[in-house]
Amino acid sequence: MAGGVIKCKAAVAWEAGKPLSLEEVEVAPPKAHEVRIKIVASAVCHTDAYTLSGADPEGCFPVILGHEGAGIVESVGEGVTKVKPGDTVIPLYIPQCGECKFCKNPHTNLCQKIRITQGKGLMPDGTSRFTCKGKQIYHFMGTSTFSEYTVVADISVAKIDAAAPLDKVCLLGCGVSTGYGAALNTAKVEAGSTCAVFGLGAVGLAVIMGCKTAGASRIIGIDLNKDKFAKAKEFGATECISPQDFKKPIQEVLMEMTDGGVDYSFECIGNVGVMRAALEACHKGWGVSVIVGVAGAGQEISTRPFQLVTGRTWKGTAFGGWKSVDNVPKLVNDYMAKKIKVDEFVTHTLPFDKINEAFELMHAGKSIRTVLNL
């Protein structure tokens, strides 16, 4: 059962827009239905940078960011039955309680059991397990993986194969699962179809992988950064284009390239203008566009209603539609069986104390994913 307070290293975001600061923090033991995890590896995702920038309406400071991690259960609070100390786990920013109306509905993965407290940066009982220099530090997305130890709700952990390399499968905690599921679960891409993927970062590459798995015959990658094209083709893109090479809007270019538009399009950036272009690049009568990227606070999407009246569908997805506790272990097994790529997303590996360098690499467009070894 749970021991005492653990002192360890964590990257604390004291305020928006400032680099993270490596600090010694105290991590309290898990309370009832909570799990304390020793984080072994954590990757850096654009969502961490989005909150750090101050653009996130739910951003609270000071906070320990990070939501793409993997580790080993150190201790459990009372009433925890699904995991035990020593288990290999991935923390989940979308939990799965199995009891709420969302969990019971097959059409969604958006468990709401701890949503309100999670959005406030707190554990389900309304308190934090982190302190630093006498101050309470907020949790992030119910995971806070930029710490050597973290505490999460017991519905926010997936127990995975103990043989899985944690410095790779941590990516299944967010980006890879999100993009892959956007294609397979949300869009339900059909064999022989034509797809367009806007934004060729980790999520976009994972969408390409999903489209390829589904048997799409044409997968068009779109990004301003042409350095990303080779990697996209490695993942299954059949061609790549940059909007800067054309005088006309990119949706018109795509409609010309595909005899009227694509069957499926995916926005993997979080830019509302690109979301519109992605919808309008879809074929009349049956085209489906999926929003995967997270736009800034207060931004709105727009198009003419005629786009939808004439048979296009606009959808969104979170964590690729996967019910997390059920599916993350299966995704890990698929990776272990070489059915999905994960290693290929990792372009850089750094020690934990170089975390700010990982953010710089991402902003410079030089990395797909940087994994930090804690």
Side-chain angles (χ1 to χ4, degrees), residues 280-353:
E280 296 177 359
C282 282
H283 203 288
K284 183 190 280 194
W286 63 78
V288 174
S289 188
V290 180
I291 294 173
V292 194
V294 177
Q299 297 189 350
E300 298 183 351
I301 50 171
S302 59
T303 191
R304 294 187 178 163
F306 193 69
Q307 292 286 336
L308 302 183
V309 170
T310 52
R312 293 171 194 83
T313 303
W314 219 346
K315 303 178 88 165
T317 189
F319 195 56
W322 301 107
K323 285 190 186 275
S324 59
V325 174
D326 290 346
N327 287 291
V328 168
K330 292 178 187 168
L331 289 163
V332 170
N333 294 344
D334 282 351
Y335 160 72
M336 298 294 278
K338 300 202 162 30
K339 288 182 192 161
I340 59 174
K341 290 182 159 95
V342 176
D343 299 22
E344 293 80 356
F345 289 87
V346 181
T347 50
H348 300 76
T349 308
L350 292 172
F352 187 33
D353 58 12

Side-chain angles (χ1 to χ4, degrees), residues 59-220:
C60 322
F61 296 87
V63 64
I64 295 171
L65 298 170
H67 65 284
E68 207 173 77
I72 311 289
V73 175
E74 177 272 333
S75 59
V76 298
E78 71 180 78
V80 175
T81 57
K82 299 258 179 22
V83 294
K84 61 186 186 304
D87 283 351
T88 304
V89 293
I90 289 178
L92 307 167
Y93 65 89
I94 296 183
Q96 187 186 352
C97 73
E99 292 163 2
C100 69
K101 67 178 180 180
F102 289 80
C103 282
K104 286 181 170 162
N105 187 314
H107 303 300
T108 185
N109 64 325
L110 300 175
C111 173
Q112 296 296 292
K113 180 91 174 191
I114 59 173
R115 179 71 200 97
I116 292 172
T117 48
Q118 180 171 314
K120 291 177 178 163
L122 300 167
M123 293 300 290
D125 73 345
T127 63
S128 166
R129 300 291 160 269
F130 296 118
T131 49
C132 181
K133 299 179 179 171
K135 287 197 176 76
Q136 171 186 279
I137 309 293
Y138 287 107
H139 294 251
F140 175 66
M141 289 176 79
T143 53
S144 291
T145 61
F146 295 163
S147 175
E148 291 177 328
Y149 287 86
T150 189
V151 178
V152 306
D154 64 354
I155 59 171
S156 305
V157 280
K159 181 182 168 179
I160 62 161
D161 181 349
L166 300 188
D167 58 345
K168 303 295 190 290
V169 296
C170 59
L171 269 59
L172 292 168
C174 179
V176 175
S177 302
T178 296
Y180 190 59
L184 296 180
N185 302 328
T186 309
K188 296 185 169 68
V189 169
E190 294 179 343
S193 60
T194 297
C195 303
V197 180
F198 292 78
L200 301 175
V203 174
L205 292 175
V207 168
I208 290 172
M209 180 168 72
C211 292
K212 186 179 178 181
T213 298
S217 60
R218 209 172 160 196
I219 304 168
I220 305 165

Side-chain angles (χ1 to χ4, degrees), residues 240-272:
C240 293
I241 57 173
S242 166
Q244 283 175 327
D245 289 344
F246 303 93
K247 292 227 167 35
K248 54 180 71 162
I250 195 69
Q251 52 267 55
E252 288 180 31
V253 174
L254 285 160
M255 285 175 81
E256 282 175 20
M257 284 173 68
T258 58
D259 185 28
V262 299
D263 302 310
Y264 304 95
S265 70
F266 301 85
E267 200 278 359
C268 307
I269 303 160
N271 177 315
V272 293

